[in-house]
């Protein structure tokens, strides 16, 4: 087993991206140093500059996701908060929701909470072993009380990409709203809320958009009225006890993460400049390289779509006879390679993939990952699997 000190290799981008582009760090520091007033809470010059940061961040996000009105984006702390805002703000007692077996716990748990607390009904559509979900199965599950379809744009375990535009068309045909969890697609796969028929888009700032942790957002289509998750100060209409109707104030009670959002803005600019299409192509090619290498190791089983098929830069796998947690520990301690092991907050997807007993190791590449880094992981897995099979 290799014990020589290797350069640190970060292959856990699906959890959060690292490192961030230099301009992101600089934007955070600059906002803290120079624009640290409370946005929307004053009319002095520094408060106006802070508000401008929020406005410009919304504008760039709107460009990226083809959102007509930037004020239809509410900032949140992460995808989980965005999903809670959408699910708890939209669903009413007696509503029926359709979701899938590849969802993250950040969808499954709020849904379970509402099943228990207010009495909603949820149907989880099966996926095949590779994470594919049939649009027809989703459409066939629509009932008279179905008000929402929730789909993961891309599985955080399998890397599978769902046909969101087709699901959007099916939802449209039946007058059902579509909520998309873009945790693994924002900045990684093209997202166009208008072309894809998306009514709500929950996205993180800290993954593919390369912003700091503690940033995220929810796009809410203009015709949708959600009950706000938080009620409180907005700096506007202070005389009324009601949460203002005007957006984004309606969904943004409390002081916002101005410096974090300055960083997010820089991250989105970086992504727009690189283009999502190029990022997607690069990450796909790295994933293919890793899969080809791993597939040549006898006792390795790769989850998700087959070599050559569409997927994101997520490659999860199991090695016969090696516990995934142990494998990730060895990679960390002996090879200086960071991956993630376990159930990845998605037990339903593990059920579909047949790994509910074992969990899996997940390697995920990012915009700065190199071929050499991917090759180092391959060699490490080869070495470890040989040791274990002796
Ligand atoms: C598909 C999916 N949804 C939701 C989340 C939760 O994201 P966050 O950590 O931004 O709350 C994740 C996190 O990895 C995810 O992969």
């Amino acid at each position: 087993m290799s014990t020589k000190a290797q350069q640190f290799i970060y292959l856990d981008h699906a959890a959060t991206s690292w490192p961030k582009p230099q301009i992101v760090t600089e934007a955070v520091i600059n906002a803290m140093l120079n624009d640290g007033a409370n946005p929307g809470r004053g009319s002095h010059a520094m408060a106006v500059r802070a508000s401008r940061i929020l406005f410009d961040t919304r504008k760039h996000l709107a460009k990226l996701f083809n959102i007509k009105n930037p004020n239809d984006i509410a900032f949140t702390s992460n995808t989980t908060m965005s999903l809670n805002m959408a699910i708890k703000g939209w669903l009413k007692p007696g509503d029926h929701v359709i979701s899938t077996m590849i969802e993250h716990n950040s969808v499954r748990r709020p849904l379970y909470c509402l099943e228990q607390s207010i009495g909603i009904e949820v149907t989880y559509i099966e996926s095949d072993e590779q994470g594919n979900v049939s649009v027809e199965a989703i459409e066939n599950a629509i009932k008279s009380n179905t008000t929402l379809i929730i789909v993961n744009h891309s599985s955080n375990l399998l890397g599978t990409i769902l046909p969101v535009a087709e699901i959007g068309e099916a939802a449209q045909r039946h007058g059902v709203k579509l909520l998309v969890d873009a945790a693994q697609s924002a900045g990684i796969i093209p997202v166009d809320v208008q072309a894809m028929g998306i009514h709500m888009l929950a996205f993180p700032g800290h993954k593919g958009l390369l912003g700091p942790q503690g940033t995220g957002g929810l796009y809410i289509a203009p015709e949708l009225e959600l009950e706000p998750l938080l009620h409180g100060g907005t700096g506007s209409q202070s005389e009324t006890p009601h949460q203002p109707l005007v957006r984004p104030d309606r969904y943004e009670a409390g002081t916002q993460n101005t410096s974090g959002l300055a960083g997010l803005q820089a991250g989105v600019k970086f992504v727009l400049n690189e283009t999502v299409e190029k990022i997607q192509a690069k990450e796909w090619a790295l994933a293919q390289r890793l899969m080809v290498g791993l597939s040549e190791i006898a006792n390795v089983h790769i989850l998700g779509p087959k070599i050559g098929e569409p997927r994101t830069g997520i490659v999860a796998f199991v090695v016969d006879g090696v516990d995934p947690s142990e494998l990730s520990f060895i990679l960390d301690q002996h090879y200086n390679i960071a991956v993630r092991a376990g159930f990845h907050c998605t037990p339903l997807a593990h059920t579909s993939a047949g790994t509910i007993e074992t969990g899996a190791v997940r390697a995920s590449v990012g915009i700065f990952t190199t071929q050499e880094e991917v090759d180092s992981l391959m060699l490490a897995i080869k070495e470890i699997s040989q040791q274990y099979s002796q």
Side-chain angles (χ1 to χ4, degrees):
M1 219 168 273
S2 170
T3 47
K4 65 179 188 301
Q6 274 197 162
Q7 205 194 336
F8 176 58
I9 297 175
Y10 183 79
L11 293 173
D12 196 15
H13 290 266
T16 203
S17 54
W18 185 90
K20 309 294 181 185
Q22 179 76 16
I23 55 164
V24 171
T25 318
E26 284 168 4
V28 172
I29 294 170
N30 187 47
M32 291 195 86
L33 287 175
N34 302 309
D35 306 320
N38 201 321
R41 306 296 197 276
S43 51
H44 56 83
M46 194 191 257
V48 171
R49 286 204 303 278
S51 297
R52 185 81 214 177
I53 288 175
L54 268 54
F55 177 79
D56 286 343
T57 307
R58 259 186 261 278
K59 212 176 64 185
H60 284 91
L61 285 163
K63 184 170 177 199
L64 183 70
F65 298 136
N66 194 23
I67 290 167
K68 259 196 203 145
N69 182 354
N71 287 335
D72 290 330
I73 299 168
F75 292 127
T76 63
S77 310
N78 46 46
T79 329
T80 303
M81 184 174 165
S82 309
L83 289 165
N84 271 269
M85 198 186 253
I87 291 169
K88 293 178 179 165
W90 176 251
L91 292 172
K92 305 269 181 302
D95 282 357
H96 173 240
V97 184
I98 298 168
S99 195
T100 80
M101 287 289 280
I102 61 159
E103 300 310 314
H104 190 271
N105 273 342
S106 292
V107 166
R108 190 185 177 213
R109 286 181 174 160
L111 286 177
Y112 179 76
C113 166
L114 293 188
E115 279 179 289
Q116 302 298 310
S117 59
I118 64 166
I120 61 157
E121 200 191 331
V122 187
T123 303
Y124 288 101
I125 304 296
E126 299 273 336
S127 76
D128 66 15
E129 218 177 63
Q130 292 170 22
N132 297 301
V133 178
S134 137
V135 181
E136 202 185 341
I138 293 179
E139 193 163 7
N140 287 342
I142 296 177
K143 308 195 287 185
S144 59
N145 60 339
T146 307
T147 62
L148 189 63
I149 295 171
I150 310 176
V151 294
N152 202 338
H153 194 174
S154 176
S155 163
N156 61 305
L157 174 69
L158 306 167
T160 324
I161 300 169
L162 260 62
V164 168
E166 283 175 53
I167 297 169
E169 276 173 32
Q172 212 82 42
R173 276 196 289 278
H174 297 268
V176 175
K177 304 302 177 205
L178 174 63
L179 163 61
V180 173
D181 175 353
Q184 299 298 341
S185 62
I188 296 166
I189 314 169
V191 175
D192 181 326
V193 299
Q194 295 184 64
M196 292 173 157
I198 297 171
H199 299 96
M200 291 183 280
L201 182 80
F203 62 89
H206 63 102
K207 298 185 196 254
L209 298 182
L210 309 172
Q213 293 177 8
T215 61
L218 178 69
Y219 159 71
I220 308 162
E223 69 275 17
L224 256 66
E225 164 51 26
L226 302 187
E227 186 54 36
L229 190 63
L230 295 176
H231 298 83
T234 53
S236 57
Q237 300 177 15
S238 296
E239 65 289 356
T240 141
H242 306 291
Q243 202 60 25
L245 285 173
V246 64
R247 296 181 182 201
D249 301 19
R250 182 155 183 75
Y251 304 110
E252 286 183 358
T255 299
Q256 296 301 301
N257 177 6
T258 309
S259 51
L261 292 170
L264 174 57
Q265 184 185 143
V268 175
K269 281 181 183 159
F270 191 93
V271 167
L272 283 167
N273 197 35
E274 291 286 316
T275 77
V276 176
E277 287 74 11
K278 275 199 195 139
I279 294 170
Q280 182 180 20
K282 181 188 171 184
E283 295 189 3
W284 184 82
L286 286 170
Q288 299 307 303
R289 188 178 178 95
L290 179 56
M291 289 170 73
V292 169
L294 290 178
S295 67
E296 286 163 5
I297 306 171
N299 44 357
V300 173
H301 306 279
I302 303 168
L303 311 187
K306 299 216 176 341
I307 292 170
E309 290 178 0
R311 67 154 63 220
T312 59
I314 287 173
V315 179
F317 55 93
V318 286
V319 180
D320 288 342
V322 193
D323 178 73
S325 303
E326 199 171 327
L327 182 51
S328 126
F329 181 78
I330 296 169
L331 287 170
D332 183 46
Q333 297 294 309
H334 294 272
Y335 294 90
N336 217 7
I337 299 175
V339 295
R340 186 173 163 195
F343 291 92
H344 313 280
C345 303
T346 181
L348 298 177
H350 278 285
T351 307
S352 300
T355 47
I356 191 65
E357 300 297 332
T358 55
V361 171
R362 181 185 72 185
S364 49
V365 304
I367 189 166
F368 300 122
T369 304
T370 63
Q371 289 187 354
E372 291 70 30
E373 289 177 324
V374 158
D375 292 352
S376 296
L377 174 65
M378 248 145 47
L379 288 173
I381 298 295
K382 197 170 184 179
E383 227 173 81
I384 298 166
S385 73
Q386 276 168 358
Q387 299 261 342
Y388 270 79
S389 59
Q390 274 167 12

